[in-house]
Amino acid sequence: MKKCLAYMMLAALTVGMTVSGGYVKAEEKGIEQGSKIDEAAVVETKTSDEAVEGVKPEDTSANDVVQELVDDPSSDAAVKDNGVAMIGDTAYATLKDAISNVKAGETILLTKDVMDAEGIAVTGDKDFTIDFNGKTYTVVGPGAGSSSTETNCFQLLKGSKITFKNGTINVGQNASKNNIKRIIQNYADLTLEDMTFETANLNEYEDYALSFNNGNIIFKGNTNIYTSNPEVIAFDVCQFGSGEYPSLNVTFDETFMGTISGKIVYDSPNAETHKLVIKGNGSFGGIDASKGNEEIAKEAVEVFGGSFSESVEEYLAGNLNAELKKAVEAYPYSYYTSVEEALGHADAGDVIKDLNVGNEGEKVFNITLDYGYENKVVTVQETSITLFELQREGYNFLGWFVGEEKYPLEEVQVTDDVTFVAKWEKQQTPGTDPEDKPDSEQGNGQGSILTPKPEVNDTTSPNTGDTTTVVGYMAAMVVAIGIMLIALRRKQKSN
């Protein structure tokens, strides 16, 4: 194969091309600029004495390049052709090599999928970004870590500032057999932006696929941790050691829109030094606290946004006062500043809870709002409800009713479970007879029903165009004329 590649490159010299590294640069003959030599194509290429005719022994520059590719696959030319990562114009055979050589502030670009990677430990003096460039990086082992605990895909040590973005990191199917137990063990400042982590192949070690023990961790954009089921622990906020790792802050910022399908575990006895803040509009499996840290977690964890598979009422920021539970969602729980705001996001079958009532033994009631169409029925758990005007295309809103009693659009106190039903009147459409009155419509919890119009006795004269009445008049006139003619003839005969 290497010999074929060499002959191919030598033959290229006879058609006005120069060879540099593992790439062909075209100067003529219509060959695309910067075209890469395709190894499969080289296998099929037939070389002959004619193909290399005219190549002189003194063409040492070309011969040297060819010989370099043939004799040393690790040469600069070979690495550029076969490497997986680049820093600027420099290629590296492995991501580990690139990390070893990266300078402060530089970005490593992954150039191809890697399906057989080993674990990487990053020392505590680095400042760099890895742009995974939409590629997948799969670790099969052996892992990286401290002596005798080399179980991680990535171990990121204290003192480094690292960003991972734009790619996927997972583990191979047999990685757990090679003692891979964790994707990231982190002590550094770490930003994860538009990254995906797939944890299922960790098998029995899937809990704590990411472990955060120190530093500032920021989740941005569409970053995801996909676990095999919602009960798996995706990551922890952990206080580790006795002072060597003093603080940890995990933040999902305002841009976050990804999914953490497993649980987050808060595991620290110190709410001042170890915090979890959730903003943005992402989806989460849930938040748990380790045994003995339940009350501390209520101080250390703040939720400002997002949707959850279970209630996280105890972790809410102070401005969130209403919980909306969707009827048909994988992550049904979300939170709003008021019941009125939550109602604006509610659909049929949803339940809204006012978080400011019922906390001290106060009894709350199920207040059901039947919107009167499309089976939209929403329940609010409250002691009162502020009734509001509804909008519906083609209809006039008549108000909220309990039975036949209409209630004003204001706050209404309740003393028992109650259902308010919206009633509607169909708007008159162009071409409708002005004397026809619109139908009224009301909800019944099972959809809309029409209230029939009352019957009216008609005492008016026939309208123009009523053909039945006109025929009757004409018949009567014919009979009358006939009677008059008969009477006239009789009178003439008598004379």
Side-chain angles (χ1 to χ4, degrees):
M1 179 68 70
K2 295 175 182 176
K3 189 173 181 180
C4 288
L5 178 59
Y7 274 116
M8 181 65 177
M9 297 178 71
L10 285 170
L13 298 176
T14 68
V15 292
M17 294 184 290
T18 60
V19 178
S20 174
Y23 291 78
V24 177
K25 293 183 178 178
E27 293 178 354
E28 54 184 62
K29 305 299 183 184
I31 298 175
E32 184 180 354
Q33 183 72 23
S35 297
K36 188 175 180 181
I37 295 175
D38 184 72
E39 189 173 346
V42 172
V43 174
E44 298 177 359
T45 301
K46 296 180 180 180
T47 60
S48 65
D49 293 339
E50 291 77 14
V52 294
E53 184 178 357
V55 178
K56 300 177 182 180
E58 58 266 27
D59 293 336
T60 54
S61 60
N63 285 328
D64 288 347
V65 171
V66 172
Q67 195 62 43
E68 185 180 11
L69 283 167
V70 173
D71 293 342
D72 185 8
S74 64
S75 67
D76 290 343
V79 168
K80 189 169 184 179
D81 193 40
N82 299 308
V84 303
M86 297 190 71
I87 304 174
D89 294 329
T90 304
Y92 295 90
T94 66
L95 182 58
K96 184 176 182 179
D97 290 341
I99 292 173
S100 297
N101 289 279
V102 70
K103 295 181 175 61
E106 289 186 328
T107 295
I108 300 169
L109 181 71
L110 199 68
T111 58
K112 60 179 66 175
D113 292 332
V114 178
M115 307 307 294
D116 57 354
E118 298 180 359
I120 300 173
V122 179
T123 58
D125 55 357
K126 294 287 189 179
D127 179 1
F128 65 90
T129 294
I130 301 178
D131 184 349
F132 286 82
N133 192 28
K135 310 301 183 186
T136 297
Y137 192 81
T138 302
V139 179
V140 298
S146 304
S147 179
S148 74
T149 59
E150 296 90 348
T151 59
N152 307 291
C153 298
F154 290 90
Q155 184 192 46
L156 311 177
L157 296 180
K158 178 185 173 184
S160 283
K161 183 179 180 181
I162 301 168
T163 297
F164 287 176
K165 67 179 185 179
N166 304 331
T168 297
I169 299 175
N170 59 22
V171 296
Q173 290 186 354
N174 297 316
S176 60
K177 295 181 180 179
N178 294 330
N179 208 32
I180 296 293
K181 299 180 180 180
R182 188 169 290 111
I183 295 178
I184 294 179
Q185 183 185 57
N186 184 79
Y187 303 91
D189 289 343
L190 176 64
T191 297
L192 302 173
E193 181 175 1
D194 296 329
M195 289 295 299
T196 293
F197 302 91
E198 298 174 352
T199 70
N201 285 340
L202 289 170
N203 298 320
E204 67 268 30
Y205 305 119
E206 191 179 4
D207 280 340
Y208 307 101
L210 284 74
S211 183
F212 301 136
N213 305 290
N214 186 72
N216 295 310
I217 319 299
I218 301 176
F219 284 77
K220 300 174 71 69
N222 188 27
T223 294
N224 308 286
I225 303 175
Y226 293 127
T227 60
S228 61
N229 69 74
E231 297 303 314
V232 169
I233 299 170
F235 71 83
D236 60 345
V237 179
C238 176
Q239 181 167 334
F240 182 77
S242 58
E244 182 180 0
Y245 305 104
S247 64
L248 172 62
N249 294 287
V250 179
T251 301
F252 293 82
D253 76 4
E254 291 86 351
T255 70
F256 182 73
M257 54 183 290
T259 297
I260 310 299
S261 62
K263 289 184 178 295
I264 301 171
V265 172
Y266 182 85
D267 185 15
S268 171
N270 193 330
E272 295 298 320
T273 59
H274 289 67
K275 295 182 179 296
L276 170 65
V277 176
I278 297 178
K279 299 179 181 179
N281 194 31
S283 302
F284 300 85
I287 302 172
D288 287 343
S290 59
K291 187 175 181 180
N293 293 317
E294 294 87 352
E295 293 303 313
I296 295 168
K298 293 177 182 179
E299 299 178 30
V301 178
E302 278 192 295
V303 172
F304 292 87
S307 301
F308 299 81
S309 64
E310 58 189 37
S311 176
V312 293
E313 175 184 344
E314 62 267 43
Y315 304 120
L316 296 182
N319 65 328
L320 299 177
N321 300 298
E323 177 183 83
L324 170 61
K325 182 182 179 183
K326 306 291 287 183
V328 287
E329 293 286 346
Y331 303 94
Y333 291 89
S334 57
Y335 297 89
Y336 301 89
T337 57
S338 66
V339 169
E340 290 74 22
E341 185 186 9
L343 280 167
H345 293 82
D347 296 307
D350 294 353
V351 176
I352 297 170
K353 179 181 178 182
D354 186 341
L355 301 177
N356 294 319
V357 299
N359 296 322
E360 298 180 0
E362 182 182 12
K363 188 174 181 179
V364 297
F365 305 99
N366 290 322
I367 304 172
T368 302
L369 300 178
D370 182 347
Y371 285 63
Y373 64 95
E374 295 180 356
N375 292 322
K376 185 171 182 179
V377 179
V378 177
T379 299
V380 180
Q381 295 176 342
E382 254 281 22
T383 58
S384 66
I385 186 73
T386 299
L387 298 175
F388 50 93
E389 186 173 0
L390 296 178
Q391 302 292 329
R392 182 185 176 193
E393 186 175 356
Y395 290 83
N396 296 319
F397 178 61
L398 299 180
W400 292 100
F401 291 78
V402 176
E404 295 301 318
E405 183 179 357
K406 181 179 178 180
Y407 282 77
L409 299 180
E410 59 186 33
E411 184 176 9
V412 178
Q413 299 289 330
V414 300
T415 57
D416 203 346
D417 294 348
V418 64
T419 297
F420 292 92
V421 178
K423 292 187 179 182
W424 302 91
E425 182 179 68
K426 195 169 184 178
Q427 293 176 353
Q428 181 179 315
T429 57
T432 303
D433 192 316
E435 295 189 12
D436 289 341
K437 300 298 183 183
D439 296 332
S440 64
E441 189 174 318
Q442 65 182 26
N444 61 358
Q446 302 297 322
S448 302
I449 62 172
L450 292 177
T451 302
K453 294 185 295 182
E455 295 184 1
V456 179
N457 293 326
D458 190 357
T459 58
T460 60
S461 300
N463 293 324
T464 303
D466 190 338
T467 56
T468 302
T469 305
V470 172
V471 170
Y473 281 139
M474 292 178 65
M477 289 177 65
V478 169
V479 170
I481 292 171
I483 293 172
M484 291 175 63
L485 290 173
I486 293 171
L488 182 60
R489 287 180 180 179
R490 288 180 178 176
K491 185 175 181 181
Q492 290 175 344
K493 287 181 179 180
S494 62
N495 292 333

